Amino acid sequence: MQKFFHDAVEFVPILLQGVWLTIVVTVGSLLLSTVLGLVWALMRVSGIRILVWLSAALINIIRGIPIIVLLFYIYFVMPDFGIALSALQAAIIGLGIAYSAYQAENFRAGIEAIDKGQIEAAQTIGMGWWLTMRRVVLPQAVRIILPPYGNIMIMMLKDSSQASTITVAELALQGKLIASSTFKNTSVFTLVALMYLTMSIPLILLVRHFENKANRK
Amino acid sequence: MIELNDVHKSFGKVEVLKGITASVAKSEVVCIIGPSGSGKSTILRCINGLESYDRGEISVEGARVDSNDRSIVGIRTQVSMVFQRFNLFPHRTALENVIEGPLYVKKEPREQAIARGRALLAQVGLADKAEVHPPKLSGGQQQRVAIARALAMQPKAILFDEPTSALDPELVGEVLSVMRKLADDGMTMVVVTHEMGFARDVADRVLFIDGGVIVEQGAAKSVLNQPQHSRTQDFLRRVLHPL
């Protein structure tokens, strides 16, 4: 145990650099996936056939490809087409696209759960499609969307470790590098696990808060 | 001001409107009565473009109603609608429900919209409920807020789709009396209803609809008191004397 604390003092500062990158990747891809997911979802409920079809196709393609393959594709294949991204950019874009499919399905479910009467009421006071979405549908859908959204956040935090496969030195890769150079596997990976857990716990509490709020009304 | 000429409408293979021709003049109150599934609500929903129609023509003040055209937005601001299930926005207060259209559709200045909104709530007897959210109001109060929301658009006509059918019996009166006041003030109204008393006392004209056609129409008192057609007689007997 004493040895563990001794190792901890030595490794935590290095691992914290990894934590920072983990947060950057998670927040970056969360924002991107939220925006893309909302776009796919709005296309899906737009009622315009070509947009509905396009969004359904995109979501299925994205869902059918493993995140790691998507990351490889963006980082290793795109340069062949003249698009060279840094590892960090590729990680954020890859994870953002991968998760946009799940975000889209969550948003769509929330939007479709809103009573049709609400949309008709908005139409009868002269609101167009976008105004109806912005003022009537989305504010009500948020309460339905938030609890699953929190769960997606937790999954994204953990899946940000996949960025290590394209050389982003986030927490998991940082840990692996220390472990392979010091052979102190137990100490290092225990610390890595504890750090992921520490970051997850606030998110888990947030989800519980959302769920309580959604159930109360 | 509202004209329907040989309007046909089908849902899939079921034809619900089989050639409806009718007109509503300015300041006129027209009640549409008839059995469930006869197409009464569909007529209202076609007038303000919530449903499209297949054949014939509907116009409001000379402008053709086409639910797929942008012009429908303008028509909807002139012809408001009140629903059976109120359809108030639950995430906004009574006052916010009323001023939503004026603020975001008509771009009215906020102060002016709020002042008008409060006056309208007072008009329907709910001045003290302005800051309350709809789920905390009774059905009758919610429907009166919905009427205030419709009035806030300063419409030329209001369509009422069974406005009291979802209410507990003791709450029907408060909504009908608000509607009666509107009629007295000269509002053009088309009301789908099962309230025969209201139709008799307030309506100028009654249309009896069955099976997607207008079976009988005329002055409210004559249709309701001396129905000519056997289907009208049969319907009225069952509504007025259910036992």
Side-chain angles (χ1 to χ4, degrees), chain A residues 115-128 131 134-140 143 217, chain B residues 45 48 50 73 76-77 79-81 83 86-92 97 100-101 104-105 149 153:
Chain A
D115 182 31
K116 292 279 167 290
Q118 290 289 310
I119 296 165
E120 292 186 348
Q123 288 176 337
T124 54
I125 55 172
M127 287 189 171
L131 200 55
R134 190 164 66 81
R135 296 289 308 168
V136 177
V137 176
L138 292 179
Q140 295 185 67
R143 273 197 304 118
K217 293 227 175 162
Chain B
R45 296 169 60 81
N48 79 344
L50 287 179
V73 173
R76 282 176 180 149
T77 58
V79 183
S80 277
M81 181 136 170
F83 298 90
F86 330 130
N87 296 349
L88 291 175
F89 307 131
H91 56 303
R92 308 201 184 281
N97 265 278
E100 183 75 14
Y104 291 92
V105 177
R149 177 173 70 179
M153 297 306 289

mmCIF file of all heavy atoms in Angstrom, chain A residues 115-128 131 134-140 143 217, chain B residues 45 48 50 73 76-77 79-81 83 86-92 97 100-101 104-105 149 153:
data_model
loop_
_atom_site.group_PDB
_atom_site.id
_atom_site.type_symbol
_atom_site.label_atom_id
_atom_site.label_comp_id
_atom_site.label_asym_id
_atom_site.label_seq_id
_atom_site.Cartn_x
_atom_site.Cartn_y
_atom_site.Cartn_z
ATOM 1 N N ASP A 115 -46.796 15.457 -27.959
ATOM 2 C CA ASP A 115 -48.154 15.297 -28.465
ATOM 3 C C ASP A 115 -48.367 16.096 -29.766
ATOM 4 O O ASP A 115 -47.965 17.254 -29.854
ATOM 5 C CB ASP A 115 -49.117 15.786 -27.375
ATOM 6 C CG ASP A 115 -50.558 15.619 -27.773
ATOM 7 O OD1 ASP A 115 -50.839 14.675 -28.525
ATOM 8 O OD2 ASP A 115 -51.399 16.435 -27.340
ATOM 9 N N LYS A 116 -48.998 15.448 -30.746
ATOM 10 C CA LYS A 116 -49.261 16.122 -32.033
ATOM 11 C C LYS A 116 -50.100 17.381 -31.847
ATOM 12 O O LYS A 116 -49.998 18.332 -32.613
ATOM 13 C CB LYS A 116 -49.989 15.176 -32.986
ATOM 14 C CG LYS A 116 -49.147 14.001 -33.448
ATOM 15 C CD LYS A 116 -48.212 14.354 -34.587
ATOM 16 C CE LYS A 116 -47.158 13.287 -34.836
ATOM 17 N NZ LYS A 116 -46.127 13.189 -33.781
ATOM 18 N N GLY A 117 -50.948 17.365 -30.830
ATOM 19 C CA GLY A 117 -51.794 18.528 -30.553
ATOM 20 C C GLY A 117 -50.987 19.785 -30.286
ATOM 21 O O GLY A 117 -51.409 20.900 -30.589
ATOM 22 N N GLN A 118 -49.795 19.608 -29.701
ATOM 23 C CA GLN A 118 -48.923 20.752 -29.438
ATOM 24 C C GLN A 118 -48.475 21.391 -30.747
ATOM 25 O O GLN A 118 -48.430 22.614 -30.877
ATOM 26 C CB GLN A 118 -47.681 20.275 -28.655
ATOM 27 C CG GLN A 118 -47.993 19.865 -27.238
ATOM 28 C CD GLN A 118 -48.320 21.060 -26.381
ATOM 29 O OE1 GLN A 118 -47.585 22.029 -26.360
ATOM 30 N NE2 GLN A 118 -49.447 21.013 -25.701
ATOM 31 N N ILE A 119 -48.148 20.540 -31.708
ATOM 32 C CA ILE A 119 -47.679 21.041 -33.000
ATOM 33 C C ILE A 119 -48.826 21.734 -33.733
ATOM 34 O O ILE A 119 -48.651 22.793 -34.324
ATOM 35 C CB ILE A 119 -47.094 19.873 -33.824
ATOM 36 C CG1 ILE A 119 -45.868 19.324 -33.086
ATOM 37 C CG2 ILE A 119 -46.742 20.301 -35.240
ATOM 38 C CD1 ILE A 119 -45.389 17.987 -33.566
ATOM 39 N N GLU A 120 -50.024 21.131 -33.633
ATOM 40 C CA GLU A 120 -51.185 21.746 -34.295
ATOM 41 C C GLU A 120 -51.519 23.093 -33.674
ATOM 42 O O GLU A 120 -51.833 24.055 -34.375
ATOM 43 C CB GLU A 120 -52.392 20.802 -34.222
ATOM 44 C CG GLU A 120 -52.183 19.551 -35.059
ATOM 45 C CD GLU A 120 -53.419 18.678 -35.114
ATOM 46 O OE1 GLU A 120 -54.365 18.914 -34.330
ATOM 47 O OE2 GLU A 120 -53.432 17.762 -35.958
ATOM 48 N N ALA A 121 -51.417 23.156 -32.328
ATOM 49 C CA ALA A 121 -51.701 24.429 -31.660
ATOM 50 C C ALA A 121 -50.716 25.494 -32.129
ATOM 51 O O ALA A 121 -51.095 26.639 -32.376
ATOM 52 C CB ALA A 121 -51.623 24.251 -30.147
ATOM 53 N N ALA A 122 -49.453 25.110 -32.268
ATOM 54 C CA ALA A 122 -48.442 26.064 -32.738
ATOM 55 C C ALA A 122 -48.759 26.512 -34.163
ATOM 56 O O ALA A 122 -48.664 27.696 -34.491
ATOM 57 C CB ALA A 122 -47.056 25.430 -32.675
ATOM 58 N N GLN A 123 -49.166 25.549 -34.996
ATOM 59 C CA GLN A 123 -49.499 25.899 -36.385
ATOM 60 C C GLN A 123 -50.675 26.862 -36.445
ATOM 61 O O GLN A 123 -50.672 27.792 -37.245
ATOM 62 C CB GLN A 123 -49.842 24.642 -37.183
ATOM 63 C CG GLN A 123 -48.627 23.779 -37.479
ATOM 64 C CD GLN A 123 -49.005 22.482 -38.184
ATOM 65 O OE1 GLN A 123 -50.130 22.016 -38.084
ATOM 66 N NE2 GLN A 123 -48.052 21.907 -38.892
ATOM 67 N N THR A 124 -51.673 26.630 -35.585
ATOM 68 C CA THR A 124 -52.875 27.472 -35.681
ATOM 69 C C THR A 124 -52.620 28.887 -35.191
ATOM 70 O O THR A 124 -53.443 29.756 -35.433
ATOM 71 C CB THR A 124 -54.068 26.894 -34.896
ATOM 72 O OG1 THR A 124 -53.668 26.660 -33.562
ATOM 73 C CG2 THR A 124 -54.555 25.610 -35.509
ATOM 74 N N ILE A 125 -51.510 29.131 -34.458
ATOM 75 C CA ILE A 125 -51.208 30.545 -34.186
ATOM 76 C C ILE A 125 -50.157 31.056 -35.179
ATOM 77 O O ILE A 125 -49.484 32.050 -34.920
ATOM 78 C CB ILE A 125 -50.783 30.807 -32.717
ATOM 79 C CG1 ILE A 125 -49.606 29.939 -32.320
ATOM 80 C CG2 ILE A 125 -51.951 30.608 -31.777
ATOM 81 C CD1 ILE A 125 -49.047 30.328 -30.953
ATOM 82 N N GLY A 126 -50.039 30.341 -36.288
ATOM 83 C CA GLY A 126 -49.241 30.868 -37.403
ATOM 84 C C GLY A 126 -47.763 30.547 -37.353
ATOM 85 O O GLY A 126 -46.971 31.146 -38.081
ATOM 86 N N MET A 127 -47.365 29.621 -36.479
ATOM 87 C CA MET A 127 -45.939 29.298 -36.409
ATOM 88 C C MET A 127 -45.544 28.385 -37.561
ATOM 89 O O MET A 127 -46.264 27.461 -37.903
ATOM 90 C CB MET A 127 -45.631 28.577 -35.096
ATOM 91 C CG MET A 127 -45.661 29.483 -33.885
ATOM 92 S SD MET A 127 -45.039 28.586 -32.463
ATOM 93 C CE MET A 127 -44.919 29.915 -31.284
ATOM 94 N N GLY A 128 -44.390 28.646 -38.121
ATOM 95 C CA GLY A 128 -43.835 27.761 -39.140
ATOM 96 C C GLY A 128 -43.113 26.600 -38.486
ATOM 97 O O GLY A 128 -43.103 26.476 -37.259
ATOM 98 N N LEU A 131 -40.036 27.626 -36.068
ATOM 99 C CA LEU A 131 -40.495 28.300 -34.853
ATOM 100 C C LEU A 131 -41.186 27.299 -33.929
ATOM 101 O O LEU A 131 -41.013 27.321 -32.711
ATOM 102 C CB LEU A 131 -41.442 29.445 -35.235
ATOM 103 C CG LEU A 131 -41.657 30.554 -34.199
ATOM 104 C CD1 LEU A 131 -40.332 31.159 -33.764
ATOM 105 C CD2 LEU A 131 -42.562 31.638 -34.763
ATOM 106 N N ARG A 134 -38.508 25.294 -32.228
ATOM 107 C CA ARG A 134 -37.701 26.056 -31.275
ATOM 108 C C ARG A 134 -38.501 26.466 -30.040
ATOM 109 O O ARG A 134 -38.007 26.407 -28.922
ATOM 110 C CB ARG A 134 -37.168 27.316 -31.981
ATOM 111 C CG ARG A 134 -36.128 28.088 -31.218
ATOM 112 C CD ARG A 134 -35.400 29.058 -32.142
ATOM 113 N NE ARG A 134 -36.261 30.114 -32.640
ATOM 114 C CZ ARG A 134 -36.560 31.217 -31.937
ATOM 115 N NH1 ARG A 134 -36.055 31.405 -30.747
ATOM 116 N NH2 ARG A 134 -37.353 32.128 -32.456
ATOM 117 N N ARG A 135 -39.760 26.867 -30.235
ATOM 118 C CA ARG A 135 -40.526 27.419 -29.114
ATOM 119 C C ARG A 135 -41.414 26.385 -28.431
ATOM 120 O O ARG A 135 -41.771 26.549 -27.279
ATOM 121 C CB ARG A 135 -41.417 28.574 -29.625
ATOM 122 C CG ARG A 135 -40.670 29.771 -30.158
ATOM 123 C CD ARG A 135 -39.997 30.562 -29.068
ATOM 124 N NE ARG A 135 -40.914 30.917 -28.000
ATOM 125 C CZ ARG A 135 -40.509 31.413 -26.827
ATOM 126 N NH1 ARG A 135 -39.226 31.602 -26.592
ATOM 127 N NH2 ARG A 135 -41.393 31.706 -25.900
ATOM 128 N N VAL A 136 -41.825 25.354 -29.171
ATOM 129 C CA VAL A 136 -42.822 24.441 -28.611
ATOM 130 C C VAL A 136 -42.278 23.031 -28.408
ATOM 131 O O VAL A 136 -42.362 22.476 -27.311
ATOM 132 C CB VAL A 136 -44.088 24.394 -29.513
ATOM 133 C CG1 VAL A 136 -45.096 23.392 -28.971
ATOM 134 C CG2 VAL A 136 -44.713 25.775 -29.603
ATOM 135 N N VAL A 137 -41.684 22.455 -29.446
ATOM 136 C CA VAL A 137 -41.314 21.033 -29.372
ATOM 137 C C VAL A 137 -40.021 20.813 -28.577
ATOM 138 O O VAL A 137 -40.012 20.063 -27.601
ATOM 139 C CB VAL A 137 -41.185 20.429 -30.786
ATOM 140 C CG1 VAL A 137 -40.720 18.991 -30.700
ATOM 141 C CG2 VAL A 137 -42.528 20.506 -31.506
ATOM 142 N N LEU A 138 -38.943 21.483 -28.979
ATOM 143 C CA LEU A 138 -37.654 21.207 -28.338
ATOM 144 C C LEU A 138 -37.651 21.516 -26.829
ATOM 145 O O LEU A 138 -37.137 20.705 -26.051
ATOM 146 C CB LEU A 138 -36.522 21.947 -29.068
ATOM 147 C CG LEU A 138 -36.230 21.422 -30.486
ATOM 148 C CD1 LEU A 138 -35.115 22.228 -31.151
ATOM 149 C CD2 LEU A 138 -35.856 19.943 -30.467
ATOM 150 N N PRO A 139 -38.234 22.655 -26.391
ATOM 151 C CA PRO A 139 -38.213 22.896 -24.942
ATOM 152 C C PRO A 139 -38.905 21.787 -24.146
ATOM 153 O O PRO A 139 -38.517 21.488 -23.017
ATOM 154 C CB PRO A 139 -38.981 24.218 -24.790
ATOM 155 C CG PRO A 139 -38.911 24.868 -26.114
ATOM 156 C CD PRO A 139 -38.852 23.762 -27.136
ATOM 157 N N GLN A 140 -39.929 21.173 -24.746
ATOM 158 C CA GLN A 140 -40.613 20.088 -24.033
ATOM 159 C C GLN A 140 -39.869 18.769 -24.185
ATOM 160 O O GLN A 140 -39.904 17.913 -23.295
ATOM 161 C CB GLN A 140 -42.043 19.915 -24.568
ATOM 162 C CG GLN A 140 -42.924 21.113 -24.286
ATOM 163 C CD GLN A 140 -44.362 20.864 -24.704
ATOM 164 O OE1 GLN A 140 -45.048 20.039 -24.130
ATOM 165 N NE2 GLN A 140 -44.813 21.574 -25.716
ATOM 166 N N ARG A 143 -36.702 17.598 -21.576
ATOM 167 C CA ARG A 143 -36.870 16.826 -20.339
ATOM 168 C C ARG A 143 -36.824 15.325 -20.602
ATOM 169 O O ARG A 143 -36.358 14.549 -19.776
ATOM 170 C CB ARG A 143 -38.196 17.180 -19.658
ATOM 171 C CG ARG A 143 -38.079 18.382 -18.741
ATOM 172 C CD ARG A 143 -39.251 18.465 -17.790
ATOM 173 N NE ARG A 143 -40.512 18.494 -18.497
ATOM 174 C CZ ARG A 143 -41.444 17.568 -18.371
ATOM 175 N NH1 ARG A 143 -41.260 16.560 -17.564
ATOM 176 N NH2 ARG A 143 -42.556 17.665 -19.060
ATOM 177 N N LYS A 217 -42.277 15.776 -12.820
ATOM 178 C CA LYS A 217 -43.338 16.518 -13.522
ATOM 179 C C LYS A 217 -44.439 15.605 -14.032
ATOM 180 O O LYS A 217 -44.207 14.487 -14.374
ATOM 181 C CB LYS A 217 -42.720 17.302 -14.680
ATOM 182 C CG LYS A 217 -41.825 18.401 -14.132
ATOM 183 C CD LYS A 217 -42.082 19.737 -14.813
ATOM 184 C CE LYS A 217 -41.274 20.843 -14.158
ATOM 185 N NZ LYS A 217 -41.161 22.019 -14.997
ATOM 186 N N ARG B 45 -60.697 21.351 -39.657
ATOM 187 C CA ARG B 45 -59.260 21.169 -39.861
ATOM 188 C C ARG B 45 -58.852 21.478 -41.295
ATOM 189 O O ARG B 45 -57.723 21.874 -41.543
ATOM 190 C CB ARG B 45 -58.851 19.754 -39.454
ATOM 191 C CG ARG B 45 -59.069 19.509 -37.945
ATOM 192 C CD ARG B 45 -58.935 18.038 -37.571
ATOM 193 N NE ARG B 45 -57.631 17.525 -37.902
ATOM 194 C CZ ARG B 45 -56.554 17.694 -37.140
ATOM 195 N NH1 ARG B 45 -56.659 18.326 -35.993
ATOM 196 N NH2 ARG B 45 -55.395 17.217 -37.509
ATOM 197 N N ASN B 48 -58.548 25.562 -41.784
ATOM 198 C CA ASN B 48 -57.285 26.258 -41.491
ATOM 199 C C ASN B 48 -56.049 25.421 -41.840
ATOM 200 O O ASN B 48 -54.965 25.660 -41.342
ATOM 201 C CB ASN B 48 -57.250 26.786 -40.059
ATOM 202 C CG ASN B 48 -56.940 25.718 -39.061
ATOM 203 O OD1 ASN B 48 -57.028 24.536 -39.370
ATOM 204 N ND2 ASN B 48 -56.558 26.117 -37.873
ATOM 205 N N LEU B 50 -54.973 22.349 -41.352
ATOM 206 C CA LEU B 50 -54.339 21.267 -40.593
ATOM 207 C C LEU B 50 -54.457 19.958 -41.361
ATOM 208 O O LEU B 50 -53.672 19.043 -41.172
ATOM 209 C CB LEU B 50 -54.984 21.122 -39.201
ATOM 210 C CG LEU B 50 -54.642 22.206 -38.187
ATOM 211 C CD1 LEU B 50 -55.373 21.959 -36.875
ATOM 212 C CD2 LEU B 50 -53.155 22.308 -37.953
ATOM 213 N N VAL B 73 -49.866 30.153 -43.601
ATOM 214 C CA VAL B 73 -49.484 30.801 -42.348
ATOM 215 C C VAL B 73 -50.298 32.077 -42.148
ATOM 216 O O VAL B 73 -50.819 32.344 -41.060
ATOM 217 C CB VAL B 73 -47.963 31.097 -42.322
ATOM 218 C CG1 VAL B 73 -47.597 31.912 -41.096
ATOM 219 C CG2 VAL B 73 -47.172 29.789 -42.326
ATOM 220 N N ARG B 76 -53.865 31.186 -41.248
ATOM 221 C CA ARG B 76 -54.002 30.701 -39.867
ATOM 222 C C ARG B 76 -53.972 31.841 -38.853
ATOM 223 O O ARG B 76 -54.565 31.725 -37.781
ATOM 224 C CB ARG B 76 -52.884 29.717 -39.547
ATOM 225 C CG ARG B 76 -53.148 28.343 -40.144
ATOM 226 C CD ARG B 76 -51.979 27.443 -39.891
ATOM 227 N NE ARG B 76 -52.204 26.127 -40.462
ATOM 228 C CZ ARG B 76 -51.226 25.353 -40.922
ATOM 229 N NH1 ARG B 76 -49.975 25.769 -40.864
ATOM 230 N NH2 ARG B 76 -51.499 24.172 -41.415
ATOM 231 N N THR B 77 -53.257 32.930 -39.169
ATOM 232 C CA THR B 77 -53.274 34.048 -38.218
ATOM 233 C C THR B 77 -54.612 34.779 -38.267
ATOM 234 O O THR B 77 -54.938 35.534 -37.360
ATOM 235 C CB THR B 77 -52.132 35.049 -38.498
ATOM 236 O OG1 THR B 77 -52.269 35.517 -39.830
ATOM 237 C CG2 THR B 77 -50.773 34.399 -38.325
ATOM 238 N N VAL B 79 -57.591 32.981 -38.984
ATOM 239 C CA VAL B 79 -58.609 32.029 -38.536
ATOM 240 C C VAL B 79 -58.002 31.171 -37.431
ATOM 241 O O VAL B 79 -57.256 30.243 -37.696
ATOM 242 C CB VAL B 79 -59.083 31.125 -39.688
ATOM 243 C CG1 VAL B 79 -60.197 30.204 -39.212
ATOM 244 C CG2 VAL B 79 -59.567 31.964 -40.854
ATOM 245 N N SER B 80 -58.291 31.513 -36.190
ATOM 246 C CA SER B 80 -57.721 30.779 -35.059
ATOM 247 C C SER B 80 -58.516 29.512 -34.800
ATOM 248 O O SER B 80 -59.604 29.319 -35.334
ATOM 249 C CB SER B 80 -57.743 31.638 -33.807
ATOM 250 O OG SER B 80 -56.648 32.491 -33.782
ATOM 251 N N MET B 81 -57.958 28.672 -33.941
ATOM 252 C CA MET B 81 -58.654 27.425 -33.641
ATOM 253 C C MET B 81 -58.559 27.114 -32.147
ATOM 254 O O MET B 81 -57.534 27.348 -31.517
ATOM 255 C CB MET B 81 -58.022 26.298 -34.455
ATOM 256 C CG MET B 81 -58.671 24.963 -34.248
ATOM 257 S SD MET B 81 -58.902 24.142 -35.849
ATOM 258 C CE MET B 81 -59.384 22.529 -35.318
ATOM 259 N N PHE B 83 -59.168 23.858 -29.547
ATOM 260 C CA PHE B 83 -59.231 22.400 -29.666
ATOM 261 C C PHE B 83 -60.019 21.757 -28.524
ATOM 262 O O PHE B 83 -60.132 22.310 -27.434
ATOM 263 C CB PHE B 83 -57.815 21.818 -29.640
ATOM 264 C CG PHE B 83 -56.946 22.261 -30.775
ATOM 265 C CD1 PHE B 83 -56.168 23.407 -30.657
ATOM 266 C CD2 PHE B 83 -56.890 21.536 -31.955
ATOM 267 C CE1 PHE B 83 -55.351 23.816 -31.693
ATOM 268 C CE2 PHE B 83 -56.083 21.942 -32.997
ATOM 269 C CZ PHE B 83 -55.308 23.082 -32.866
ATOM 270 N N PHE B 86 -57.650 21.320 -25.587
ATOM 271 C CA PHE B 86 -57.010 22.601 -25.229
ATOM 272 C C PHE B 86 -55.678 22.832 -25.950
ATOM 273 O O PHE B 86 -55.456 23.881 -26.514
ATOM 274 C CB PHE B 86 -56.789 22.748 -23.721
ATOM 275 C CG PHE B 86 -57.797 22.041 -22.849
ATOM 276 C CD1 PHE B 86 -57.405 21.215 -21.814
ATOM 277 C CD2 PHE B 86 -59.157 22.185 -23.103
ATOM 278 C CE1 PHE B 86 -58.341 20.561 -21.029
ATOM 279 C CE2 PHE B 86 -60.105 21.541 -22.319
ATOM 280 C CZ PHE B 86 -59.686 20.718 -21.285
ATOM 281 N N ASN B 87 -54.759 21.804 -25.849
ATOM 282 C CA ASN B 87 -53.433 21.920 -26.471
ATOM 283 C C ASN B 87 -52.690 23.181 -26.058
ATOM 284 O O ASN B 87 -52.025 23.811 -26.877
ATOM 285 C CB ASN B 87 -53.534 21.859 -28.005
ATOM 286 C CG ASN B 87 -54.050 20.518 -28.482
ATOM 287 O OD1 ASN B 87 -54.143 19.580 -27.707
ATOM 288 N ND2 ASN B 87 -54.379 20.422 -29.751
ATOM 289 N N LEU B 88 -52.797 23.545 -24.787
ATOM 290 C CA LEU B 88 -51.968 24.647 -24.295
ATOM 291 C C LEU B 88 -50.530 24.156 -24.185
ATOM 292 O O LEU B 88 -50.287 22.956 -24.074
ATOM 293 C CB LEU B 88 -52.475 25.111 -22.923
ATOM 294 C CG LEU B 88 -53.831 25.808 -22.931
ATOM 295 C CD1 LEU B 88 -54.262 26.110 -21.499
ATOM 296 C CD2 LEU B 88 -53.789 27.077 -23.758
ATOM 297 N N PHE B 89 -49.586 25.104 -24.213
ATOM 298 C CA PHE B 89 -48.184 24.730 -24.062
ATOM 299 C C PHE B 89 -47.896 24.565 -22.568
ATOM 300 O O PHE B 89 -47.902 25.551 -21.832
ATOM 301 C CB PHE B 89 -47.274 25.797 -24.687
ATOM 302 C CG PHE B 89 -47.636 26.123 -26.116
ATOM 303 C CD1 PHE B 89 -47.772 27.426 -26.542
ATOM 304 C CD2 PHE B 89 -47.845 25.102 -27.042
ATOM 305 C CE1 PHE B 89 -48.112 27.726 -27.855
ATOM 306 C CE2 PHE B 89 -48.192 25.382 -28.356
ATOM 307 C CZ PHE B 89 -48.328 26.699 -28.761
ATOM 308 N N PRO B 90 -47.637 23.328 -22.114
ATOM 309 C CA PRO B 90 -47.545 23.094 -20.667
ATOM 310 C C PRO B 90 -46.316 23.724 -20.023
ATOM 311 O O PRO B 90 -46.300 23.931 -18.815
ATOM 312 C CB PRO B 90 -47.475 21.565 -20.570
ATOM 313 C CG PRO B 90 -46.980 21.103 -21.894
ATOM 314 C CD PRO B 90 -47.457 22.109 -22.901
ATOM 315 N N HIS B 91 -45.294 24.024 -20.834
ATOM 316 C CA HIS B 91 -44.067 24.575 -20.258
ATOM 317 C C HIS B 91 -44.109 26.095 -20.151
ATOM 318 O O HIS B 91 -43.130 26.713 -19.759
ATOM 319 C CB HIS B 91 -42.853 24.128 -21.086
ATOM 320 C CG HIS B 91 -42.934 24.492 -22.543
ATOM 321 N ND1 HIS B 91 -43.978 24.100 -23.355
ATOM 322 C CD2 HIS B 91 -42.108 25.207 -23.334
ATOM 323 C CE1 HIS B 91 -43.774 24.566 -24.573
ATOM 324 N NE2 HIS B 91 -42.649 25.236 -24.584
ATOM 325 N N ARG B 92 -45.254 26.692 -20.510
ATOM 326 C CA ARG B 92 -45.354 28.144 -20.405
ATOM 327 C C ARG B 92 -46.580 28.514 -19.572
ATOM 328 O O ARG B 92 -47.568 27.780 -19.555
ATOM 329 C CB ARG B 92 -45.475 28.772 -21.794
ATOM 330 C CG ARG B 92 -44.376 28.299 -22.741
ATOM 331 C CD ARG B 92 -44.151 29.249 -23.903
ATOM 332 N NE ARG B 92 -43.159 28.687 -24.805
ATOM 333 C CZ ARG B 92 -41.852 28.722 -24.593
ATOM 334 N NH1 ARG B 92 -41.380 29.304 -23.521
ATOM 335 N NH2 ARG B 92 -41.006 28.168 -25.437
ATOM 336 N N ASN B 97 -48.629 31.590 -22.800
ATOM 337 C CA ASN B 97 -49.384 30.912 -23.859
ATOM 338 C C ASN B 97 -50.103 31.934 -24.733
ATOM 339 O O ASN B 97 -50.111 31.812 -25.953
ATOM 340 C CB ASN B 97 -50.422 29.967 -23.236
ATOM 341 C CG ASN B 97 -49.902 28.549 -23.123
ATOM 342 O OD1 ASN B 97 -49.945 27.796 -24.082
ATOM 343 N ND2 ASN B 97 -49.391 28.196 -21.953
ATOM 344 N N GLU B 100 -47.594 34.188 -26.878
ATOM 345 C CA GLU B 100 -46.632 33.475 -27.736
ATOM 346 C C GLU B 100 -46.782 33.872 -29.216
ATOM 347 O O GLU B 100 -45.809 34.224 -29.868
ATOM 348 C CB GLU B 100 -46.829 31.964 -27.563
ATOM 349 C CG GLU B 100 -45.846 31.100 -28.331
ATOM 350 C CD GLU B 100 -44.459 31.062 -27.708
ATOM 351 O OE1 GLU B 100 -44.314 31.479 -26.545
ATOM 352 O OE2 GLU B 100 -43.529 30.630 -28.399
ATOM 353 N N GLY B 101 -48.005 33.801 -29.718
ATOM 354 C CA GLY B 101 -48.250 34.147 -31.123
ATOM 355 C C GLY B 101 -47.961 35.611 -31.422
ATOM 356 O O GLY B 101 -47.200 35.928 -32.340
ATOM 357 N N TYR B 104 -43.970 36.105 -31.204
ATOM 358 C CA TYR B 104 -43.042 35.418 -32.096
ATOM 359 C C TYR B 104 -43.544 35.307 -33.533
ATOM 360 O O TYR B 104 -42.746 35.126 -34.431
ATOM 361 C CB TYR B 104 -42.712 34.029 -31.534
ATOM 362 C CG TYR B 104 -41.890 34.142 -30.278
ATOM 363 C CD1 TYR B 104 -42.499 34.180 -29.030
ATOM 364 C CD2 TYR B 104 -40.506 34.277 -30.350
ATOM 365 C CE1 TYR B 104 -41.747 34.331 -27.880
ATOM 366 C CE2 TYR B 104 -39.750 34.433 -29.213
ATOM 367 C CZ TYR B 104 -40.369 34.459 -27.979
ATOM 368 O OH TYR B 104 -39.629 34.622 -26.850
ATOM 369 N N VAL B 105 -44.859 35.404 -33.726
ATOM 370 C CA VAL B 105 -45.368 35.341 -35.094
ATOM 371 C C VAL B 105 -45.638 36.755 -35.609
ATOM 372 O O VAL B 105 -45.222 37.125 -36.698
ATOM 373 C CB VAL B 105 -46.648 34.477 -35.172
ATOM 374 C CG1 VAL B 105 -47.192 34.481 -36.589
ATOM 375 C CG2 VAL B 105 -46.346 33.060 -34.712
ATOM 376 N N ARG B 149 -55.822 32.702 -26.039
ATOM 377 C CA ARG B 149 -54.678 32.550 -26.951
ATOM 378 C C ARG B 149 -55.135 32.731 -28.406
ATOM 379 O O ARG B 149 -54.437 33.349 -29.209
ATOM 380 C CB ARG B 149 -54.052 31.169 -26.768
ATOM 381 C CG ARG B 149 -52.901 30.900 -27.726
ATOM 382 C CD ARG B 149 -52.179 29.609 -27.430
ATOM 383 N NE ARG B 149 -52.989 28.436 -27.744
ATOM 384 C CZ ARG B 149 -52.572 27.176 -27.582
ATOM 385 N NH1 ARG B 149 -51.371 26.946 -27.091
ATOM 386 N NH2 ARG B 149 -53.360 26.169 -27.877
ATOM 387 N N MET B 153 -54.430 36.536 -31.375
ATOM 388 C CA MET B 153 -53.981 36.704 -32.761
ATOM 389 C C MET B 153 -54.870 37.701 -33.506
ATOM 390 O O MET B 153 -54.682 37.936 -34.697
ATOM 391 C CB MET B 153 -53.982 35.359 -33.499
ATOM 392 C CG MET B 153 -53.016 34.326 -32.935
ATOM 393 S SD MET B 153 -51.322 34.938 -32.825
ATOM 394 C CE MET B 153 -50.866 34.985 -34.557
#
